[in-house]
Amino acid sequence: MERINPATGETIETYDEHDEGQVEERLSRAESTFETFRDWSVAERETKLAGVATLLRERMTEYAELMTREMGKPIAQAEAEVEKCAWVCDHYAEHAGRYLQDEQHPSPPGSTVKTVHEPLGPVLAIMPWNFPFWQVFRFAAPYLVAGNVGLLKHASNVPECALAMEDVFRDAGFPDGAFQTLLISSDRVDAVLSDPRVKAATLTGSGPAGRAVAGTAGEHLKKTVLELGGSDPYVVLEDADVEAAATTAAWARNLNGGQSCIAAKRFVVHDAVYEAFIDRFVAEVESFTVGDPMDRDTDVGPQARQDLMEGVHEQVTGSIDAGATVLTGGEPLDRDGAYYPPTVLVDVPQGCPVDAEEVFGPVAAVYRVHDEETAIEKANDTEFGLGASIWTDDLERGERVASRIDAGCTYINELVKSDPRVPFGGVKESGYGRELSEAGIKEFVNRKTVWRQQPETSNEDEIPTE
């Protein structure tokens, strides 16, 4: 596994994959650790998780620089990512006990019935490189505090990030086997997932990867949560605050170099405000500084890998060939590193690459529509269904439009974002299941019914119906 600095193209370091013996050792350790870790009280696990938050903040500079070196995230955004990871630890350290408390149910005289929430065991997480810490903590914080143990298969271009997160959980007092990294290639995931010691899996990534994981897990009847791609619509209606919508739109598309599942990608703008939106949007996009991600003045760094940058450019050139018009950007920058400028395309034909595919880079496709109904149709004209943003001064109208857009999360007058306090996930080709909040922590627990009956009140004549 090569660590290549995407800002320079230089190889930083090379890591050897874990061999079969090392993988076996980690699986065995996960299984044995779970047998004792599951008996920890939620309060004990909350305390350790609070300790993780403290260490993350103490090591913020170290971890931010690590992310920036491995995948090119601008340093200020990397620091914000570390803080967000600390926040999700804070959240579950405070609320896990309430989320996991027993649920009481109505029952006959002489009995009590409740649901308890018990951990499942080792959970395999297959995670991407674009938010190398946040994607991991989004699963690790709730699953560990619930009593599961984690096995991380991270993207091959961020191995040191993966190992650093293993260290931070151990240093905070979690058992050695509670959170472990597997340095393995994608073609070895199937064997790990098939192992009977692994009880469930979560994946953030592409549709093909999600189908492969879901297929293997299905064969073995293992629970999965999938957060896949997105081509989020950003709908600007005629009564919107155009300046606010355009300014936020530029950031919603270009944060993290546009390398985000929930980035706004298709901008659907009402004809009455189209010209004003375009003028402001392009001006804002062109104001961004593209450069060295270690420089605090940089807004957009390099793409994470050279091949990924080339793939984005192929989507742009294919769309131009189909009839799209470039208003700004559209060519790789002539410098060392995988730099691609913020790009805006209009007159986008239906079915061209930037219309029909997920574009994982700083490229915005803008559409002109004549009414609300057409805007909704265009917003839903995608196989994906992760998030959507709707801009209008009429909040009731915004909710009405949001109710008709096929997405797992909709935001009115705000960009789409993940937040520890609310459920996160998609529909259609964007996956299934939910992360974060109470919904996320309950994805990988056994919701066990416990019925207690006083012996003297048991009704021996009662005939079970099932």
Side-chain angles (χ1 to χ4, degrees):
M1 294 183 177
E2 285 190 330
R3 297 176 64 224
I4 297 175
N5 187 335
T8 63
E10 298 174 347
T11 299
I12 307 170
E13 191 174 358
T14 300
Y15 282 83
D16 291 331
E17 282 194 33
H18 287 150
D19 60 29
E20 294 304 319
Q22 291 170 308
V23 171
E24 168 60 30
E25 179 185 355
R26 283 160 175 76
L27 286 169
S28 178
R29 187 183 299 127
E31 181 183 43
S32 61
T33 298
F34 174 67
E35 291 307 313
T36 55
F37 186 60
R38 67 183 303 172
D39 294 329
W40 285 30
S41 70
V42 174
E44 288 176 301
R45 295 193 290 260
E46 287 176 329
T47 298
K48 298 302 183 186
L49 196 58
V52 173
T54 298
L55 288 179
L56 285 170
R57 292 187 172 103
E58 291 175 355
R59 301 173 182 179
M60 179 178 291
T61 299
E62 174 190 348
Y63 291 157
E65 291 178 352
L66 178 55
M67 280 188 271
T68 298
R69 286 195 303 271
E70 287 199 322
M71 56 73 59
K73 187 188 302 290
I75 189 66
Q77 296 175 35
E79 289 173 347
E81 182 169 336
V82 177
E83 175 57 36
K84 192 169 185 178
C85 294
W87 179 27
V88 76
C89 292
D90 289 340
H91 178 81
Y92 283 107
E94 180 180 355
H95 298 290
R98 179 172 61 84
Y99 289 157
L100 296 172
Q101 66 186 357
D102 296 349
E103 300 171 10
Q104 304 296 325
H105 305 292
S107 60
S111 67
T112 59
V113 182
K114 62 182 179 180
T115 295
V116 299
H117 304 93
E118 297 181 348
L120 298 180
V123 178
L124 174 65
I126 303 100
M127 292 291 126
W129 47 262
N130 58 328
F131 291 92
F133 270 64
W134 171 243
Q135 303 281 18
V136 174
F137 273 87
R138 204 166 69 188
F139 101 84
Y143 297 172
L144 287 177
V145 80
N148 297 296
V149 299
L151 293 161
L152 171 65
K153 187 280 179 226
H154 217 327
S156 60
N157 58 329
V158 289
E160 195 168 341
C161 285
L163 293 170
M165 286 179 280
E166 182 178 272
D167 289 343
V168 78
F169 282 106
R170 183 177 58 251
D171 293 349
F174 281 91
D176 283 349
F179 184 90
Q180 300 177 91
T181 284
L182 302 177
L183 294 180
I184 59 174
S185 56
S186 296
D187 59 6
R188 296 172 65 191
V189 168
D190 191 75
V192 174
L193 182 53
S194 300
D195 191 288
R197 290 167 291 190
V198 173
K199 303 303 181 184
T202 180
L203 174 141
T204 298
S206 68
R211 286 185 176 84
V213 166
T216 298
E219 290 178 11
H220 298 277
L221 297 179
K222 296 180 181 181
K223 177 72 181 291
T224 53
V225 168
L226 304 180
E227 196 267 277
L228 307 179
S231 189
D232 286 7
Y234 188 101
V235 178
V236 182
L237 299 173
E238 76 278 8
D239 61 346
D241 180 335
V242 177
E243 181 173 351
T247 302
T248 303
W251 191 241
R253 173 64 280 205
N254 292 287
L255 176 68
N256 202 44
Q259 301 164 120
S260 171
C261 295
I262 56 172
K265 298 185 175 81
R266 298 176 302 120
F267 297 82
V268 182
V269 185
H270 194 285
D271 183 71
V273 295
Y274 180 84
E275 297 297 340
F277 176 86
I278 283 290
D279 289 346
R280 179 68 181 181
F281 183 47
V282 172
E284 193 71 21
V285 164
E286 290 180 337
S287 75
F288 289 151
T289 298
V290 181
D292 181 357
M294 286 293 186
D295 188 334
R296 290 192 173 276
D297 292 331
T298 292
D299 299 303
V300 179
Q303 300 295 279
R305 298 197 313 260
Q306 181 71 21
D307 63 308
L308 296 171
M309 186 272 286
E310 292 170 355
V312 168
H313 187 51
E314 287 178 5
Q315 291 176 303
V316 170
T317 56
S319 299
I320 294 169
D321 291 344
T325 301
V326 180
L327 295 186
T328 189
E331 290 288 343
L333 297 183
D334 186 16
R335 63 172 74 169
D336 290 337
Y339 287 95
Y340 203 83
T343 296
V344 178
L345 300 179
V346 297
D347 306 321
V348 177
Q350 185 170 5
C352 74
V354 301
D355 176 68
E357 302 169 5
E358 179 179 24
V359 182
F360 217 64
V363 179
V366 187
Y367 304 83
R368 184 195 297 254
V369 295
H370 298 290
D371 54 34
E372 177 184 303
E373 189 64 29
T374 308
I376 294 169
E377 290 176 3
K378 187 60 190 176
N380 286 330
D381 185 23
T382 174
E383 64 181 356
F384 298 106
L386 191 52
S389 182
I390 302 106
W391 289 76
T392 172
D393 277 350
D394 184 339
L395 295 181
E396 290 186 3
R397 182 189 191 189
E399 288 203 37
R400 184 177 70 248
V401 172
S403 72
R404 297 186 58 199
I405 293 180
D406 300 327
C409 41
T410 52
Y411 284 72
I412 301 167
N413 298 329
E414 178 61 284
L415 55 79
V416 176
K417 54 190 175 181
S418 55
D419 184 310
R421 298 166 294 188
V422 297
F424 177 79
V427 295
K428 301 196 296 187
E429 293 295 310
S430 291
Y432 54 75
R434 291 295 178 267
E435 297 178 304
L436 302 175
S437 75
E438 182 174 356
I441 200 172
K442 289 183 175 178
E443 285 284 3
F444 291 132
V445 294
N446 175 17
R447 303 182 188 189
K448 179 187 287 186
T449 297
V450 178
W451 183 302
R452 296 197 314 175
Q453 185 78 43
Q454 293 292 342
E456 65 273 15
T457 62
S458 177
N459 186 349
E460 296 179 357
D461 296 327
E462 183 176 319
I463 301 174
T465 58
E466 186 175 324

